[in-house]
Amino acid sequence: MDENDVLRNIGVDWEFWKEQGRKLLWVIVSFFFFRALQFASHNTETSRSAEDSRDLSAIPPNKKWRISNEIVSLIHSIISGAWAAYSLLIYKELMTDLIDYRCEVALNLIYVSTGYLLHDLIDLLVNEQSARIIELLFHHVVVLSAFAVTIFVGRFLGVVIFGLLMELNSIFLHSRSLLNLFGVDKTAQSFRIIALCNMVTLFLFRLCVSGYLLYFVISTIPDVPWWQSLVNGLVILSLGSTNTVLTYRLLAADGLLGKNRQRKSPATTGLTNIEDGDENHHTVAVQTGNATVPLVVSDDATQTV
């Protein structure tokens, strides 16, 4: 009688707990990996700022954090977007059987993304200073709920992996945000290319994917338990609504809804403005020596310099 037989005789399913430990390990390693990336990118940005001729004390800490947070989010988008696309291309059953097909490669992506979301959740709670946190926390809770259904119920892996294709758009979305944070002129060729790629991938991987998944949920209502259809419907409708709002904001920011709604370029105003979902911030300039330093101030908080 081997060790597994002994454990079964005393009511312990060793293989089951071994599998749970493996899942937990993936989540923990992912969490600390992205925490380490956040720490490294923040320190790098601080060192870069220290080399400037500007007074470092006048550069708002929240802006440094926003830059490092966007960098880590960009890295996660590259990893998860490419991973999701690879899974769907190699394991075609994920697209033909969105409900019951399971494969280890796709499941590992869920665990890695869970670790990232937990990291980002903590990071937002500690550092975010605007009402923007409500929207971001809502998004994270919705996505974690979808992950939980897949992990604990053992169904809808294909739906989640298909939804993670949205991260292919997030690559350009975070790149665009970084260009804004670094004050790149919107008329610059680099900004225009990123903005164009952002809009194209937003349509393909956010709006089209959201529409298909909503159609899938409605068409499979007779085939799955009502509560699973309800959870899936709420998750997909929530993501669809946030994607719709995001599309509107980007169209307005890029001047595609008229000049009156377009936000001025940081380079043309001389200030660095945080865009895309950050309407609760405005920018003021602080004079320090020979340079004007942009300061981002939250509408719901007063910051004195």
Side-chain angles (χ1 to χ4, degrees), residues 19-73:
E19 178 63 18
Q20 304 314 304
R22 188 187 72 83
K23 295 176 184 178
L24 184 60
L25 181 62
W26 270 99
V27 174
I28 291 174
V29 170
S30 173
F31 174 84
F32 283 106
F33 171 75
F34 287 107
R35 291 302 294 169
L37 276 181
Q38 181 79 32
F39 178 80
S41 61
H42 182 77
N43 284 348
T44 300
E45 173 59 22
T46 300
S47 299
R48 187 190 68 82
S49 299
E51 294 174 358
D52 293 345
S53 59
R54 306 183 299 193
D55 182 1
L56 184 61
S57 63
I59 302 175
N62 185 253
K63 183 187 172 185
K64 295 180 203 170
W65 166 75
R66 283 293 302 276
I67 291 174
S68 62
N69 182 266
E70 290 287 353
I71 291 173
V72 174
S73 297

Side-chain angles (χ1 to χ4, degrees), residues 117-169:
L117 285 174
L118 292 175
H119 145 73
D120 202 49
L121 200 63
I122 294 173
D123 205 40
L124 288 170
L125 289 171
V126 172
N127 296 290
E128 184 56 68
Q129 299 175 3
S130 74
R132 175 176 178 266
I133 190 174
I134 298 174
E135 180 181 340
L136 293 173
L137 291 179
F138 172 75
H139 170 270
H140 284 20
V141 170
V142 167
V143 176
L144 285 171
S145 298
F147 288 174
V149 171
T150 297
I151 293 171
F152 297 111
V153 177
R155 308 188 83 191
F156 306 106
L157 177 62
V159 172
V160 175
I161 297 299
F162 209 85
L164 282 172
L165 286 177
M166 295 180 190
E167 292 298 322
L168 292 173
N169 166 248

Side-chain angles (χ1 to χ4, degrees), residues 33-231:
F33 171 75
F34 287 107
R35 291 302 294 169
L37 276 181
Q38 181 79 32
F39 178 80
S41 61
H42 182 77
N43 284 348
T44 300
E45 173 59 22
T46 300
S47 299
R48 187 190 68 82
S49 299
E51 294 174 358
D52 293 345
S53 59
R54 306 183 299 193
D55 182 1
L56 184 61
S57 63
I59 302 175
N62 185 253
K63 183 187 172 185
K64 295 180 203 170
W65 166 75
R66 283 293 302 276
I67 291 174
S68 62
N69 182 266
E70 290 287 353
I71 291 173
V72 174
S73 297
L74 173 60
I75 293 172
H76 170 259
S77 296
I78 294 172
I79 294 172
S80 59
W83 197 332
Y86 170 82
S87 300
L88 291 170
L89 288 172
I90 300 301
Y91 300 93
K92 299 188 185 303
E93 294 89 342
L94 280 171
M95 290 191 288
T96 58
D97 184 2
L98 297 179
I99 299 178
D100 292 316
Y101 183 75
R102 313 282 284 180
C103 65
E104 190 170 316
V105 170
L107 284 168
N108 291 340
L109 170 57
I110 303 301
Y111 307 143
V112 169
S113 292
T114 299
Y116 163 76
L117 285 174
L118 292 175
H119 145 73
D120 202 49
L121 200 63
I122 294 173
D123 205 40
L124 288 170
L125 289 171
V126 172
N127 296 290
E128 184 56 68
Q129 299 175 3
S130 74
R132 175 176 178 266
I133 190 174
I134 298 174
E135 180 181 340
L136 293 173
L137 291 179
F138 172 75
H139 170 270
H140 284 20
V141 170
V142 167
V143 176
L144 285 171
S145 298
F147 288 174
V149 171
T150 297
I151 293 171
F152 297 111
V153 177
R155 308 188 83 191
F156 306 106
L157 177 62
V159 172
V160 175
I161 297 299
F162 209 85
L164 282 172
L165 286 177
M166 295 180 190
E167 292 298 322
L168 292 173
N169 166 248
S170 295
I171 295 172
F172 300 101
L173 184 64
H174 292 306
S175 298
R176 185 184 185 283
S177 294
L178 284 169
L179 291 178
N180 273 319
L181 286 165
F182 284 117
V184 176
D185 192 336
K186 284 188 175 181
T187 61
Q189 185 177 15
S190 59
F191 192 99
R192 289 186 173 185
I193 292 174
I194 292 296
L196 176 61
C197 292
N198 184 42
M199 294 306 301
V200 171
T201 55
L202 185 144
F203 174 76
L204 291 175
F205 298 116
R206 285 191 183 272
L207 299 183
C208 289
V209 167
S210 294
Y212 175 75
L213 290 179
L214 183 59
Y215 162 77
F216 169 80
V217 169
I218 294 174
S219 64
T220 57
I221 287 177
D223 303 321
V224 299
W226 68 269
W227 67 270
Q228 293 180 10
S229 292
L230 179 62
V231 171

Side-chain angles (χ1 to χ4, degrees), residues 246-263:
L246 175 62
T247 302
Y248 170 81
R249 289 174 177 172
L250 288 170
L251 289 172
D254 288 341
L256 298 177
L257 298 180
K259 291 185 178 180
N260 291 335
R261 300 184 184 222
Q262 182 179 13
R263 295 173 188 162

